[in-house]
Amino acid sequence: MACSAHLLSQSLYSSHRGSPGALRSLRSQARPPARASPAARPGSSARGCCRGVSLRVAASFEQGRRQVEVSYDPQAKFNQLADQIDKDAGMTRLNLFSPCKINVFLRITGKRPDGFHDLASLFHVISLGDTIKFSLSPSKSRDRLSTNVPGVPVDESNLIIKALNLYRQKTGADNFFWIHLDKKVPTGAGLGGGSSNAATALWAANQFAGCIASERDLQEWSGEIGSDIPFFFSRGAAYCTSRGEIVQDIPNPLPENLPLVLIKPPEACSTAEVYKRFRLEQASQVDPLTLLKEITQNGISQDVCVNDLEPPAFEVLPSLKRLKKRIIAASRDNYNAVFMSGSGSTIVGIGSPDPPAFVYDDEDYKDVFVSEACFLTRDENEWYREPISSKAAFSKDDLPASVID
């Protein structure tokens, strides 16, 4: 598989003898033009023609003479040199976006002999995500992980470290990394933030190693450390079955400009506890393929956004059921559908980026997490990119007092 051609746009940096950093800085800062000789036009270089020099010839019929303009573009020249350095030196640092997902519908279809449950779900990547910075470490024995959020494990229990260990095990690569996780996706939310981080780490490790594994390899390997991780190697929308590791790409089932809002209380739902309380006889009986067909043909509605884990999650966290009911009651048809994602505790409203007013006004929701988002996909051999227009998530404490009062 060819290495991704867009890596430079995702903060790929290289090291090289000399000072490539100084050369790169000239990509955004134009060097003052050389002093012009008497024969040169103001602002042009006195040097001879070479790469970075352009000629422009214009005829002046009024004065009956030709004008020749010689201009020198130093920035283009230095960009060429810096690009060559990047090509020759190899990668040392890489920043990647790590987006989360929602389950547009989630059917639980049975209990497996291995203790897991069979599911059938339409997963879709959305624009809320973390940023992960990878740097090659001089160490050949361990990775080092840091994060901006207290309480997130930074040892080998973190899925990022598990993913890097898995990649070295599968490929024999010997790269170790310094990693910083800038976390924006809340934990215990049913949004697959940790799974996305693991998939992003596998992608990064493969880029550093020269893309020696295919995307299909990464997808298959990732199922060994998490059921939701293989999905992120889809193009962004997929029908997932079995434990979630069987992934069928669904091209553009929903428009990317369809807005949504995520509302999550501070309390998390334990996935293990939710599944423990799940009763198959309480699950929906609708065929998941019928749901998929309806969505791809007619779009989102409340009837198709089925989540069989809502009843047990609402037992674990009764306030979550009240939150969903209040959102629906207050929506005034602003949302096409309101539902819980995954095993909770995030409630999703599709059709508007704005939460209901009570989220701002009610003291009970002062610590709620709110984020607008949109659907997101990626191209083959490229990783996900954060949309320029995406806005940061916020809590009520981030709002000005004039808005709250």
Side-chain angles (χ1 to χ4, degrees), residues 270-282:
S270 163
T271 299
E273 186 64 26
V274 170
Y275 273 102
K276 181 179 177 181
R277 298 194 184 208
F278 172 75
R279 299 292 180 267
L280 189 60
E281 61 272 14
Q282 297 177 350

Side-chain angles (χ1 to χ4, degrees), residues 91-317:
M91 189 188 311
T92 60
R93 289 188 286 174
L94 178 61
N95 293 357
L96 290 174
F97 184 54
S98 180
C100 64
K101 58 82 183 171
I102 62 170
N103 301 86
V104 181
F105 67 80
L106 175 56
R107 286 289 337 279
I108 306 298
T109 57
K111 184 79 177 285
R112 298 159 52 99
D114 60 8
F116 288 94
H117 289 77
D118 281 317
L119 59 85
S121 178
L122 177 59
F123 284 56
H124 209 306
V125 169
I126 61 173
S127 58
L128 173 67
D130 305 329
T131 300
I132 311 180
K133 301 177 182 180
F134 298 88
S135 300
L136 276 179
S137 170
S139 168
K140 292 298 180 181
S141 60
R142 64 185 294 266
D143 301 298
R144 188 176 71 188
L145 174 64
S146 61
T147 181
N148 63 321
V149 177
V152 173
V154 294
D155 58 12
E156 294 198 353
S157 67
N158 190 290
L159 280 171
I160 292 175
I161 305 299
K162 288 184 177 182
L164 296 174
N165 286 335
L166 177 69
Y167 186 82
R168 286 187 287 262
Q169 172 193 334
K170 295 293 186 181
T171 65
D174 61 355
N175 289 329
F176 286 80
F177 302 92
W178 292 332
I179 313 107
H180 180 73
L181 171 62
D182 185 6
K183 195 131 193 78
K184 294 181 182 177
V185 179
T187 58
L191 298 175
S195 296
S196 173
N197 293 166
T200 305
L202 283 171
W203 176 274
N206 198 42
Q207 299 300 312
F208 280 99
C211 303
I212 58 179
S214 68
E215 285 191 8
R216 180 53 61 93
D217 290 334
L218 299 178
Q219 187 175 61
E220 291 180 356
W221 299 341
S222 67
E224 298 181 19
I225 57 173
S227 299
D228 288 352
I229 303 172
F231 158 70
F232 289 95
F233 292 101
S234 72
R235 299 293 173 264
Y239 181 62
C240 300
T241 54
S242 189
R243 292 185 293 112
E245 82 281 10
I246 298 178
V247 179
Q248 176 187 347
D249 273 281
I250 305 295
N252 304 315
L254 295 166
E256 292 191 12
N257 62 354
L258 180 62
L260 54 144
V261 63
L262 311 175
I263 304 173
K264 181 196 174 298
E267 300 84 9
C269 274
S270 163
T271 299
E273 186 64 26
V274 170
Y275 273 102
K276 181 179 177 181
R277 298 194 184 208
F278 172 75
R279 299 292 180 267
L280 189 60
E281 61 272 14
Q282 297 177 350
S284 169
Q285 299 304 307
V286 64
D287 186 338
L289 290 175
T290 300
L291 297 175
L292 181 62
K293 181 178 179 181
E294 178 67 20
I295 289 171
T296 55
Q297 292 184 351
N298 301 314
I300 291 291
S301 69
Q302 188 66 52
D303 291 340
V304 298
C305 294
V306 174
N307 186 343
D308 287 339
L309 293 182
E310 281 192 7
F314 292 164
E315 288 182 21
V316 173
L317 197 61

Side-chain angles (χ1 to χ4, degrees), residues 269-392:
C269 274
S270 163
T271 299
E273 186 64 26
V274 170
Y275 273 102
K276 181 179 177 181
R277 298 194 184 208
F278 172 75
R279 299 292 180 267
L280 189 60
E281 61 272 14
Q282 297 177 350
S284 169
Q285 299 304 307
V286 64
D287 186 338
L289 290 175
T290 300
L291 297 175
L292 181 62
K293 181 178 179 181
E294 178 67 20
I295 289 171
T296 55
Q297 292 184 351
N298 301 314
I300 291 291
S301 69
Q302 188 66 52
D303 291 340
V304 298
C305 294
V306 174
N307 186 343
D308 287 339
L309 293 182
E310 281 192 7
F314 292 164
E315 288 182 21
V316 173
L317 197 61
S319 61
L320 194 59
K321 183 177 183 178
R322 293 194 296 271
L323 174 60
K324 180 187 174 183
K325 284 185 173 180
R326 287 198 65 177
I327 293 171
I328 293 174
S331 68
R332 298 186 180 89
D333 297 324
N334 286 338
Y335 307 119
N336 301 351
V338 176
F339 56 92
M340 186 184 78
S341 179
S343 58
S345 58
T346 300
I347 301 296
V348 181
I350 294 184
S352 171
D354 302 316
F358 76 83
V359 172
Y360 303 128
D361 300 334
D362 196 320
E363 187 67 17
D364 289 342
Y365 298 101
K366 65 178 181 178
D367 296 320
V368 75
F369 170 93
V370 178
S371 177
E372 67 177 66
C374 61
F375 294 107
L376 191 65
T377 58
R378 69 181 181 95
D379 295 328
E380 186 176 6
N381 296 330
E382 293 191 1
W383 198 240
Y384 301 96
R385 300 185 186 189
E386 182 176 16
I388 296 175
S389 61
S390 66
K391 297 181 180 179

Side-chain angles (χ1 to χ4, degrees), residues 28-49:
S28 58
Q29 299 179 13
R31 173 174 287 186
R35 185 179 301 274
S37 69
R41 290 174 56 86
S44 66
S45 171
R47 299 181 184 182
C49 293

